[in-house]
Amino acid sequence: MLLSHQTAFAEFTRVDAPLAGMTSGTLIETTQGWVPVEQLRSGDRVATGDGGFRAVLAVESRDHEDAPLWRVPGGTFGACSDLTLTEGQYLALNGRDCRRLFGLPTVLVPAGALAGFQGAHRLAPFPARTYVPRFATEELVWAQTGVRVLCPGTDGESHYKRLNYGQARALLLMMSGGTLGADLAA
C-alpha cells in the first residue's frame, strides 16, 4: 500500500503575535505625577509594581489602521477610568486565585482574554496610535491609577509568568465566581 502525501500539508495564514500597547491618554504614574503615555520621554522616571521608580529608555509608538483594541472599564482592576489596550498588552493580576492555580502571587493576562470580565470588551477596529514604554528590564508600571501593565525591557528577560488564553480564562472564571462573558475562542 502506498501513502499519498498530496494533502499532508495544509494551506495556512500566518498569525503574528498580538502587539502590546496602550492608547493615547492612558495615564502613567511618574515622579512628576500622572502623565499621559504619549507625553513620556526617555529619562522620565516611572512608578513600577515593586514600589520603585525606573527610567524610561524609549517610548515606541505605532499607528494602526484597524488595531484590535480592548476596553477595560473604570473600576476594573482598580482603574480610575476606562483603559484602552491592544489585544497583546499584558496586565498583572494577583491574589489567592493566582496562587491557587499557578502557585504564584502575580501572573500576566493578555487583554485579549478579558472578554466579559467585569464589562471588558473588544472595540470595533478603528485607527489608533499605541505606545509602549521600554525599560532596561521588563517592568510592571502603574496605569490609570490602579492597573499594572507590562512594559518590555531591552534585556529580553521575562520575569513574570505570562498566561496563555486558556489559562487566563480559567483564572478569570475563578475570580468572577463562575460567571464570565462569552469566550471568543469558542
Side-chain angles (χ1 to χ4, degrees), residues 21-22 28 35-44 46 55-62 129-135 151-152 154:
M22 299 167 265
I28 304 294
V35 174
V37 68
E38 67 271 19
Q39 292 180 14
L40 286 178
R41 300 291 177 257
S42 179
D44 288 348
V46 172
V56 173
L57 297 181
V59 179
E60 297 175 1
S61 65
R62 179 178 285 150
R129 185 172 197 91
T130 60
Y131 300 86
V132 179
R134 284 205 175 266
F135 297 87
C151 292
T154 58

Side-chain angles (χ1 to χ4, degrees), residues 159-179:
H159 303 287
Y160 300 97
K161 167 82 173 160
R162 288 165 173 77
L163 301 185
N164 64 34
Y165 184 87
Q167 292 169 323
R169 295 297 289 180
L171 175 61
L172 294 168
L173 186 62
M174 186 176 272
M175 290 174 67
S176 68
T179 58

Side-chain angles (χ1 to χ4, degrees), residues 89-93 107-111 113-114 161 163 168 171-172:
Q89 180 63 57
Y90 282 91
L91 291 83
L93 300 183
V107 295
L108 301 176
V109 174
L114 297 175
K161 167 82 173 160
L163 301 185
L171 175 61
L172 294 168

